[in-house]
Amino acid sequence: MAESDPQVIFRLVDDESARLIRSAVTLSDGDARAPSRLPGWTRGHLLTHVARNADALVNLLTGVRIGTPTPMYATPQSRDADIESGAGRPADELTADLRASAARLQEAAEALGSGDDWRAVVEWRKGRRRPIADVPRARLAEVVLHHVDLDVGFTVHDLPGAVAEQVVAESLGRLGALPDPPAVRVRPTDGQATAIPADASDHVTVTGSAAALAGWLAGRTNGAGLAADGPLPELPAWG
């Protein structure tokens, strides 16, 4: 079962953020303006997005700490504008922004501590309501999946087992929250089986390593190498 202690998961976030930063440091200005694996986005768009996502999560954490609900982004338009305006910066500025925003998130998490504040439920992007305790898991998935999207040789198969388990949990949570979720049971060869929706009787059971399942559930692979007792369900795009 995936670890649920927010502070423990944040240590994984810190490790994977550092690994992403090490990849970003290797980019030239030309590399940063080259396409990422995400359609329509350069690597600069992607790195700017990861930095602004950290700041958006700082807003949620700070809002809980001070008792004043704070939206992740001022508006959907401002989120998109910030990504677009930051995408063309030199590689060293992109990396510095990534490093500084990661540090701000770490500080905000430490400031919230380990008490009852983590039980708060807050409004995330697009009006979704989720526990603030989901922040570290969501951030971890954001960092590692976009590291894959950066297209610098890092793949889902490079994910440590504990990190892959968190990405599987985050992916299943997102899929399970859909109005019509796919009926699928994932059975990690190195973990515990989980099904969505829980009451479906016609699940397709998909078996593989946590890393392989994470890649498929998050739309980063086509499921090659996974075993299933029926056709692999078509999953909606990550969003």
Side-chain angles (χ1 to χ4, degrees):
M1 183 178 295
E3 173 64 56
S4 60
D5 185 319
Q7 296 297 352
V8 173
I9 302 172
F10 259 120
R11 288 197 284 274
L12 298 177
V13 173
D14 293 341
D15 291 343
E16 293 304 319
S17 295
R19 183 147 65 158
L20 174 60
I21 290 167
R22 288 195 295 272
S23 289
V25 166
T26 69
L27 300 177
S28 67
D29 290 350
D31 293 334
R33 295 187 178 99
S36 72
R37 289 184 179 273
L38 293 182
W41 270 15
T42 65
R43 292 189 177 106
H45 284 93
L46 192 150
L47 292 175
T48 302
H49 163 64
V50 175
R52 299 290 72 77
N53 171 261
D55 288 336
L57 296 176
V58 169
N59 288 339
L60 292 183
L61 292 167
T62 303
V64 168
R65 181 173 59 80
I66 66 177
T68 303
T70 306
M72 292 181 71
Y73 303 95
T75 65
Q77 295 76 18
S78 66
R79 169 190 177 270
D80 296 342
D82 285 345
I83 294 171
E84 192 61 41
S85 65
R89 292 173 293 171
D92 60 348
E93 290 186 20
L94 292 166
T95 302
D97 186 18
L98 192 65
R99 182 181 288 111
S101 61
R104 289 192 291 270
L105 179 57
Q106 182 181 33
E107 291 170 3
E110 291 173 352
L112 197 59
S114 56
D116 290 343
D117 282 342
W118 287 104
R119 298 181 182 179
V121 175
V122 296
E123 185 172 309
W124 293 49
R125 186 173 166 237
K126 298 182 180 179
R128 292 176 291 190
R129 294 190 64 77
R130 296 181 62 179
I132 195 71
D134 283 358
V135 164
R137 190 181 71 189
R139 176 61 179 179
L140 183 62
E142 193 84 14
V143 169
V144 299
L145 293 176
H146 286 322
H147 197 172
V148 172
D149 297 334
L150 198 62
D151 197 18
V152 291
F154 180 83
T155 76
V156 292
H157 299 291
D158 295 313
L159 299 181
V163 173
E165 288 175 7
Q166 294 295 333
V167 178
V168 168
E170 176 67 10
S171 300
L172 291 175
R174 290 188 182 215
L175 292 172
L178 295 174
D180 186 23
V184 61
R185 176 183 290 106
V186 298
R187 190 182 299 279
T189 53
D190 43 2
Q192 191 173 51
T194 307
I196 54 167
D199 58 353
S201 60
D202 57 347
H203 291 103
V204 174
T205 299
V206 185
T207 304
S209 69
L213 288 166
W216 174 63
L217 289 168
R220 266 58 182 186
T221 70
N222 62 5
L226 295 172
D229 61 2
L232 282 176
E234 184 173 340
L235 302 179
W238 181 276

